[in-house]
Tab-separated table of all heavy atoms in Angstrom:
chain	number	residue	atom	x	y	z
A	202	PRO	N	12.407	-2.598	-21.215
A	202	PRO	CA	12.898	-2.996	-19.888
A	202	PRO	C	12.010	-4.007	-19.140
A	202	PRO	O	10.760	-3.960	-19.356
A	202	PRO	CB	13.009	-1.722	-19.091
A	202	PRO	CG	12.016	-0.773	-19.706
A	202	PRO	CD	12.018	-1.177	-21.196
A	203	HIS	N	12.545	-4.872	-18.375
A	203	HIS	CA	11.783	-5.803	-17.591
A	203	HIS	C	12.589	-6.124	-16.310
A	203	HIS	O	13.851	-5.999	-16.326
A	203	HIS	CB	11.426	-7.010	-18.324
A	203	HIS	CG	12.489	-8.058	-18.494
A	203	HIS	ND1	13.493	-7.865	-19.420
A	203	HIS	CD2	12.806	-9.230	-17.873
A	203	HIS	CE1	14.424	-8.862	-19.358
A	203	HIS	NE2	13.996	-9.717	-18.420
A	204	ILE	N	11.974	-6.623	-15.368
A	204	ILE	CA	12.604	-6.942	-14.069
A	204	ILE	C	12.593	-8.429	-13.758
A	204	ILE	O	13.606	-9.045	-13.411
A	204	ILE	CB	12.063	-6.133	-12.892
A	204	ILE	CG1	12.234	-4.620	-13.112
A	204	ILE	CG2	12.791	-6.515	-11.537
A	204	ILE	CD1	11.582	-3.782	-12.036
A	205	GLY	N	11.416	-9.014	-13.859
A	205	GLY	CA	11.233	-10.369	-13.500
A	205	GLY	C	10.840	-10.531	-12.109
A	205	GLY	O	10.994	-9.632	-11.204
A	206	THR	N	10.061	-11.626	-11.715
A	206	THR	CA	9.443	-11.764	-10.539
A	206	THR	C	10.361	-11.695	-9.282
A	206	THR	O	10.049	-10.981	-8.319
A	206	THR	CB	8.602	-13.114	-10.486
A	206	THR	OG1	7.522	-13.027	-11.380
A	206	THR	CG2	8.059	-13.361	-9.100
A	207	PHE	N	11.403	-12.461	-9.293
A	207	PHE	CA	12.221	-12.503	-8.059
A	207	PHE	C	12.808	-11.128	-7.696
A	207	PHE	O	12.913	-10.793	-6.546
A	207	PHE	CB	13.325	-13.541	-8.214
A	207	PHE	CG	12.950	-15.015	-8.196
A	207	PHE	CD1	13.730	-15.985	-8.605
A	207	PHE	CD2	11.713	-15.280	-7.654
A	207	PHE	CE1	13.348	-17.311	-8.688
A	207	PHE	CE2	11.248	-16.637	-7.660
A	207	PHE	CZ	12.019	-17.616	-8.176
A	208	ARG	N	13.171	-10.415	-8.678
A	208	ARG	CA	13.772	-9.083	-8.376
A	208	ARG	C	12.685	-8.058	-7.948
A	208	ARG	O	12.908	-7.183	-7.184
A	208	ARG	CB	14.526	-8.541	-9.591
A	208	ARG	CG	15.817	-9.266	-9.945
A	208	ARG	CD	16.691	-8.519	-10.911
A	208	ARG	NE	17.906	-9.220	-11.123
A	208	ARG	CZ	19.049	-8.718	-11.619
A	208	ARG	NH1	19.113	-7.389	-11.778
A	208	ARG	NH2	20.091	-9.352	-11.769
A	209	LEU	N	11.534	-8.292	-8.491
A	209	LEU	CA	10.408	-7.476	-8.107
A	209	LEU	C	10.123	-7.555	-6.581
A	209	LEU	O	9.743	-6.560	-5.910
A	209	LEU	CB	9.117	-7.786	-8.909
A	209	LEU	CG	8.991	-7.097	-10.308
A	209	LEU	CD1	7.884	-7.810	-11.096
A	209	LEU	CD2	8.653	-5.661	-10.108
A	210	VAL	N	10.247	-8.744	-6.031
A	210	VAL	CA	9.940	-9.022	-4.642
A	210	VAL	C	10.816	-8.120	-3.806
A	210	VAL	O	10.315	-7.381	-2.904
A	210	VAL	CB	10.122	-10.437	-4.320
A	210	VAL	CG1	10.176	-10.728	-2.789
A	210	VAL	CG2	9.029	-11.341	-4.941
A	211	LYS	N	12.081	-8.172	-3.966
A	211	LYS	CA	13.023	-7.327	-3.217
A	211	LYS	C	12.812	-5.860	-3.362
A	211	LYS	O	12.833	-5.038	-2.465
A	211	LYS	CB	14.481	-7.709	-3.475
A	211	LYS	CG	15.493	-7.047	-2.603
A	211	LYS	CD	15.352	-7.457	-1.155
A	211	LYS	CE	16.505	-6.892	-0.277
A	211	LYS	NZ	16.312	-7.287	1.084
A	212	MET	N	12.499	-5.470	-4.617
A	212	MET	CA	12.360	-4.105	-4.894
A	212	MET	C	11.089	-3.528	-4.200
A	212	MET	O	11.108	-2.400	-3.631
A	212	MET	CB	12.185	-3.959	-6.438
A	212	MET	CG	12.066	-2.537	-6.987
A	212	MET	SD	11.514	-2.537	-8.691
A	212	MET	CE	9.827	-2.760	-8.424
A	213	VAL	N	10.000	-4.293	-4.198
A	213	VAL	CA	8.755	-3.883	-3.555
A	213	VAL	C	9.030	-3.752	-2.102
A	213	VAL	O	8.504	-2.709	-1.441
A	213	VAL	CB	7.660	-4.829	-3.853
A	213	VAL	CG1	6.442	-4.636	-2.945
A	213	VAL	CG2	7.187	-4.768	-5.326
A	214	GLU	N	9.764	-4.607	-1.456
A	214	GLU	CA	10.084	-4.530	0.010
A	214	GLU	C	10.828	-3.221	0.266
A	214	GLU	O	10.519	-2.549	1.288
A	214	GLU	CB	10.857	-5.688	0.431
A	214	GLU	CG	10.018	-7.053	0.460
A	214	GLU	CD	10.852	-8.182	0.917
A	214	GLU	OE1	11.994	-8.246	0.569
A	214	GLU	OE2	10.330	-8.967	1.711
A	215	ASN	N	11.718	-2.905	-0.585
A	215	ASN	CA	12.534	-1.695	-0.295
A	215	ASN	C	11.725	-0.363	-0.425
A	215	ASN	O	11.901	0.521	0.330
A	215	ASN	CB	13.781	-1.668	-1.228
A	215	ASN	CG	14.783	-2.647	-0.962
A	215	ASN	OD1	14.885	-3.123	0.172
A	215	ASN	ND2	15.553	-3.075	-1.884
A	216	ILE	N	10.855	-0.373	-1.369
A	216	ILE	CA	9.951	0.837	-1.532
A	216	ILE	C	9.047	0.961	-0.262
A	216	ILE	O	8.822	2.029	0.223
A	216	ILE	CB	9.153	0.815	-2.788
A	216	ILE	CG1	10.079	0.897	-4.039
A	216	ILE	CG2	8.120	1.895	-2.870
A	216	ILE	CD1	9.422	0.816	-5.382
A	217	ARG	N	8.529	-0.214	0.139
A	217	ARG	CA	7.669	-0.178	1.344
A	217	ARG	C	8.476	0.414	2.507
A	217	ARG	O	7.934	1.268	3.254
A	217	ARG	CB	7.213	-1.644	1.717
A	217	ARG	CG	6.329	-1.659	2.940
A	217	ARG	CD	6.608	-2.835	3.808
A	217	ARG	NE	6.709	-4.107	3.153
A	217	ARG	CZ	7.232	-5.241	3.654
A	217	ARG	NH1	7.808	-5.122	4.860
A	217	ARG	NH2	7.240	-6.326	2.977
A	218	ARG	N	9.708	-0.011	2.706
A	218	ARG	CA	10.510	0.506	3.785
A	218	ARG	C	10.697	2.065	3.668
A	218	ARG	O	10.792	2.740	4.686
A	218	ARG	CB	11.827	-0.215	3.866
A	218	ARG	CG	11.682	-1.697	4.239
A	218	ARG	CD	13.026	-2.344	4.500
A	218	ARG	NE	12.887	-3.744	4.701
A	218	ARG	CZ	13.158	-4.661	3.896
A	218	ARG	NH1	13.593	-4.392	2.652
A	218	ARG	NH2	12.985	-5.977	4.142
A	219	GLU	N	10.889	2.559	2.483
A	219	GLU	CA	11.076	3.953	2.325
A	219	GLU	C	9.775	4.735	2.657
A	219	GLU	O	9.889	5.746	3.354
A	219	GLU	CB	11.539	4.275	0.905
A	219	GLU	CG	11.704	5.782	0.670
A	219	GLU	CD	12.216	6.243	-0.646
A	219	GLU	OE1	12.608	5.369	-1.476
A	219	GLU	OE2	12.257	7.478	-0.888
A	220	ILE	N	8.657	4.212	2.216
A	220	ILE	CA	7.411	4.882	2.572
A	220	ILE	C	7.176	4.905	4.107
A	220	ILE	O	6.849	6.029	4.694
A	220	ILE	CB	6.207	4.100	1.928
A	220	ILE	CG1	6.275	4.263	0.401
A	220	ILE	CG2	4.855	4.683	2.432
A	220	ILE	CD1	5.264	3.371	-0.331
A	221	GLU	N	7.513	3.883	4.760
A	221	GLU	CA	7.439	3.824	6.196
A	221	GLU	C	8.412	4.781	6.853
A	221	GLU	O	8.095	5.424	7.869
A	221	GLU	CB	7.622	2.402	6.700
A	221	GLU	CG	6.489	1.454	6.343
A	221	GLU	CD	6.735	0.020	6.656
A	221	GLU	OE1	7.952	-0.410	6.689
A	221	GLU	OE2	5.800	-0.715	6.915
A	222	ALA	N	9.651	4.867	6.329
A	222	ALA	CA	10.610	5.728	6.918
A	222	ALA	C	10.195	7.189	6.784
A	222	ALA	O	10.624	8.046	7.631
A	222	ALA	CB	11.983	5.529	6.221
A	223	LEU	N	9.392	7.473	5.718
A	223	LEU	CA	8.901	8.857	5.573
A	223	LEU	C	7.600	9.113	6.269
A	223	LEU	O	6.985	10.237	6.031
A	223	LEU	CB	8.756	9.146	4.039
A	223	LEU	CG	10.000	9.131	3.173
A	223	LEU	CD1	9.680	9.082	1.728
A	223	LEU	CD2	10.859	10.383	3.579
A	224	GLY	N	7.169	8.252	7.119
A	224	GLY	CA	5.987	8.443	7.950
A	224	GLY	C	4.694	7.821	7.364
A	224	GLY	O	3.652	7.969	7.985
A	225	GLY	N	4.819	7.106	6.260
A	225	GLY	CA	3.621	6.384	5.727
A	225	GLY	C	3.370	5.145	6.518
A	225	GLY	O	4.270	4.641	7.274
A	226	GLU	N	2.248	4.570	6.353
A	226	GLU	CA	1.837	3.338	7.124
A	226	GLU	C	1.197	2.378	6.085
A	226	GLU	O	0.268	2.800	5.418
A	226	GLU	CB	0.849	3.762	8.136
A	226	GLU	CG	0.352	2.570	9.014
A	226	GLU	CD	-0.694	3.048	10.000
A	226	GLU	OE1	-0.927	4.236	10.244
A	226	GLU	OE2	-1.402	2.107	10.529
A	227	ILE	N	1.712	1.143	6.030
A	227	ILE	CA	1.162	0.180	5.209
A	227	ILE	C	0.580	-0.924	6.083
A	227	ILE	O	1.298	-1.521	6.902
A	227	ILE	CB	2.199	-0.473	4.238
A	227	ILE	CG1	2.748	0.632	3.267
A	227	ILE	CG2	1.579	-1.585	3.384
A	227	ILE	CD1	4.076	1.106	3.708
A	228	ARG	N	-0.754	-1.207	5.982
A	228	ARG	CA	-1.405	-2.131	6.800
A	228	ARG	C	-1.933	-3.329	5.896
A	228	ARG	O	-2.713	-3.111	4.984
A	228	ARG	CB	-2.655	-1.461	7.444
A	228	ARG	CG	-2.149	-0.398	8.415
A	228	ARG	CD	-3.364	0.389	8.973
A	228	ARG	NE	-4.351	-0.443	9.717
A	228	ARG	CZ	-5.354	0.026	10.394
A	228	ARG	NH1	-5.631	1.289	10.349
A	228	ARG	NH2	-6.178	-0.880	11.006
A	229	PHE	N	-1.424	-4.495	6.137
A	229	PHE	CA	-1.741	-5.693	5.348
A	229	PHE	C	-2.903	-6.395	5.919
A	229	PHE	O	-3.232	-6.234	7.055
A	229	PHE	CB	-0.505	-6.630	5.245
A	229	PHE	CG	0.592	-5.964	4.422
A	229	PHE	CD1	1.661	-5.368	5.109
A	229	PHE	CD2	0.648	-5.876	3.049
A	229	PHE	CE1	2.716	-4.785	4.401
A	229	PHE	CE2	1.649	-5.358	2.354
A	229	PHE	CZ	2.634	-4.765	3.080
A	230	GLN	N	-3.546	-7.264	5.077
A	230	GLN	CA	-4.710	-7.997	5.389
A	230	GLN	C	-5.826	-7.094	6.009
A	230	GLN	O	-6.488	-7.438	6.989
A	230	GLN	CB	-4.388	-9.111	6.375
A	230	GLN	CG	-3.422	-10.162	5.773
A	230	GLN	CD	-3.006	-11.210	6.797
A	230	GLN	OE1	-2.003	-11.154	7.448
A	230	GLN	NE2	-3.848	-12.298	6.840
A	231	GLN	N	-6.005	-5.954	5.348
A	231	GLN	CA	-7.046	-5.010	5.648
A	231	GLN	C	-7.949	-4.679	4.469
A	231	GLN	O	-7.549	-3.878	3.585
A	231	GLN	CB	-6.350	-3.704	6.141
A	231	GLN	CG	-5.431	-3.877	7.339
A	231	GLN	CD	-6.218	-4.130	8.652
A	231	GLN	OE1	-7.292	-3.536	8.821
A	231	GLN	NE2	-5.659	-4.965	9.529
A	232	GLN	N	-9.006	-5.407	4.368
A	232	GLN	CA	-9.983	-5.173	3.217
A	232	GLN	C	-10.921	-4.047	3.468
A	232	GLN	O	-11.499	-4.061	4.642
A	232	GLN	CB	-10.635	-6.444	2.880
A	232	GLN	CG	-11.552	-6.355	1.650
A	232	GLN	CD	-12.278	-7.615	1.279
A	232	GLN	OE1	-12.039	-8.663	1.859
A	232	GLN	NE2	-13.118	-7.560	0.269
A	233	VAL	N	-11.080	-3.197	2.609
A	233	VAL	CA	-12.140	-2.147	2.666
A	233	VAL	C	-13.509	-2.699	2.416
A	233	VAL	O	-13.707	-3.247	1.297
A	233	VAL	CB	-11.829	-0.919	1.772
A	233	VAL	CG1	-12.962	0.068	1.775
A	233	VAL	CG2	-10.543	-0.245	2.209
A	234	ALA	N	-14.436	-2.717	3.298
A	234	ALA	CA	-15.748	-3.298	3.134
A	234	ALA	C	-16.803	-2.291	2.838
A	234	ALA	O	-17.916	-2.630	2.437
A	234	ALA	CB	-16.199	-4.078	4.429
A	235	ASP	N	-16.544	-0.931	3.121
A	235	ASP	CA	-17.606	0.027	2.853
A	235	ASP	C	-16.881	1.367	2.776
A	235	ASP	O	-15.757	1.608	3.260
A	235	ASP	CB	-18.589	0.088	3.994
A	235	ASP	CG	-19.935	0.749	3.615
A	235	ASP	OD1	-20.046	1.183	2.457
A	235	ASP	OD2	-20.793	0.877	4.503
A	236	VAL	N	-17.533	2.349	2.133
A	236	VAL	CA	-17.059	3.703	2.058
A	236	VAL	C	-18.137	4.658	2.661
A	236	VAL	O	-19.292	4.442	2.547
A	236	VAL	CB	-16.752	4.133	0.609
A	236	VAL	CG1	-15.489	3.487	0.105
A	236	VAL	CG2	-17.949	3.942	-0.340
A	237	LEU	N	-17.673	5.605	3.428
A	237	LEU	CA	-18.569	6.585	4.070
A	237	LEU	C	-18.773	7.831	3.122
A	237	LEU	O	-17.820	8.539	2.849
A	237	LEU	CB	-18.038	6.983	5.456
A	237	LEU	CG	-17.728	5.800	6.397
A	237	LEU	CD1	-17.128	6.346	7.660
A	237	LEU	CD2	-19.009	4.965	6.738
A	238	ILE	N	-19.948	8.018	2.761
A	238	ILE	CA	-20.237	9.129	1.878
A	238	ILE	C	-21.375	10.050	2.454
A	238	ILE	O	-22.407	9.484	2.862
A	238	ILE	CB	-20.710	8.692	0.469
A	238	ILE	CG1	-19.665	7.812	-0.162
A	238	ILE	CG2	-21.007	9.929	-0.488
A	238	ILE	CD1	-20.104	7.046	-1.406
A	239	GLU	N	-21.109	11.304	2.529
A	239	GLU	CA	-22.104	12.276	3.057
A	239	GLU	C	-22.318	13.373	2.043
A	239	GLU	O	-21.391	14.122	1.770
A	239	GLU	CB	-21.627	12.889	4.383
A	239	GLU	CG	-21.402	11.855	5.478
A	239	GLU	CD	-20.808	12.490	6.781
A	239	GLU	OE1	-20.710	13.729	6.836
A	239	GLU	OE2	-20.569	11.752	7.737
A	240	ASP	N	-23.550	13.447	1.463
A	240	ASP	CA	-23.932	14.475	0.534
A	240	ASP	C	-22.904	14.555	-0.642
A	240	ASP	O	-22.379	15.643	-1.058
A	240	ASP	CB	-24.026	15.868	1.208
A	240	ASP	CG	-25.080	15.843	2.283
A	240	ASP	OD1	-26.155	15.251	2.112
A	240	ASP	OD2	-24.881	16.503	3.349
A	241	GLY	N	-22.517	13.373	-1.179
A	241	GLY	CA	-21.595	13.370	-2.306
A	241	GLY	C	-20.172	13.561	-1.922
A	241	GLY	O	-19.275	13.695	-2.908
A	242	GLN	N	-19.758	13.656	-0.687
A	242	GLN	CA	-18.452	13.817	-0.239
A	242	GLN	C	-17.983	12.626	0.521
A	242	GLN	O	-18.597	12.148	1.500
A	242	GLN	CB	-18.257	15.064	0.624
A	242	GLN	CG	-16.926	15.214	1.321
A	242	GLN	CD	-15.728	15.391	0.433
A	242	GLN	OE1	-15.836	16.370	-0.416
A	242	GLN	NE2	-14.673	14.669	0.518
A	243	LEU	N	-16.761	12.152	0.156
A	243	LEU	CA	-16.216	10.897	0.872
A	243	LEU	C	-15.737	11.413	2.264
A	243	LEU	O	-15.156	12.410	2.412
A	243	LEU	CB	-15.054	10.342	0.114
A	243	LEU	CG	-14.499	9.120	0.811
A	243	LEU	CD1	-15.277	7.852	0.245
A	243	LEU	CD2	-12.956	9.012	0.455
A	244	ARG	N	-16.123	10.625	3.223
A	244	ARG	CA	-15.774	10.914	4.625
A	244	ARG	C	-14.887	9.839	5.328
A	244	ARG	O	-14.482	10.015	6.465
A	244	ARG	CB	-17.002	11.221	5.491
A	244	ARG	CG	-17.726	12.423	5.031
A	244	ARG	CD	-16.845	13.726	5.081
A	244	ARG	NE	-17.605	14.908	4.716
A	244	ARG	CZ	-17.063	16.067	4.416
A	244	ARG	NH1	-15.733	16.188	4.493
A	244	ARG	NH2	-17.787	17.105	4.158
A	245	GLY	N	-14.661	8.657	4.574
A	245	GLY	CA	-13.833	7.641	5.268
A	245	GLY	C	-14.133	6.274	4.649
A	245	GLY	O	-14.931	6.100	3.727
A	246	VAL	N	-13.492	5.312	5.207
A	246	VAL	CA	-13.714	3.966	4.820
A	246	VAL	C	-13.937	3.064	6.064
A	246	VAL	O	-13.487	3.401	7.158
A	246	VAL	CB	-12.473	3.399	4.007
A	246	VAL	CG1	-12.271	4.229	2.766
A	246	VAL	CG2	-11.184	3.374	4.946
C-alpha cells in the first residue's frame, strides 16, 4: 500500500483535528532546546 504526498497532507490534517478534539494540543514552531533531568528522572523540557 501507498498513499502519495498530496493525500498524506489531508490525512495528517484530519488526524491532527481528532487529537485536538480529544483534548490533545499540537504546538507548531516549538523547538525543544533542553531537557530537565533530576537524579536520572526527567522533569520537563
Side-chain angles (χ1 to χ4, degrees):
H203 76 284
I204 299 177
T206 292
F207 288 162
R208 292 196 177 202
L209 274 165
V210 168
K211 186 65 176 177
M212 188 193 78
V213 166
E214 288 180 321
N215 287 338
I216 295 177
R217 182 222 306 164
R218 293 188 184 103
E219 180 174 353
I220 293 172
E221 291 173 332
L223 292 168
E226 178 184 349
I227 299 99
R228 298 173 57 177
F229 294 99
Q230 295 179 268
Q231 300 288 324
Q232 183 177 357
V233 173
D235 199 2
V236 290
L237 304 175
I238 303 170
E239 298 175 5
D240 298 324
Q242 169 66 52
L243 185 85
R244 295 301 183 192
V246 298

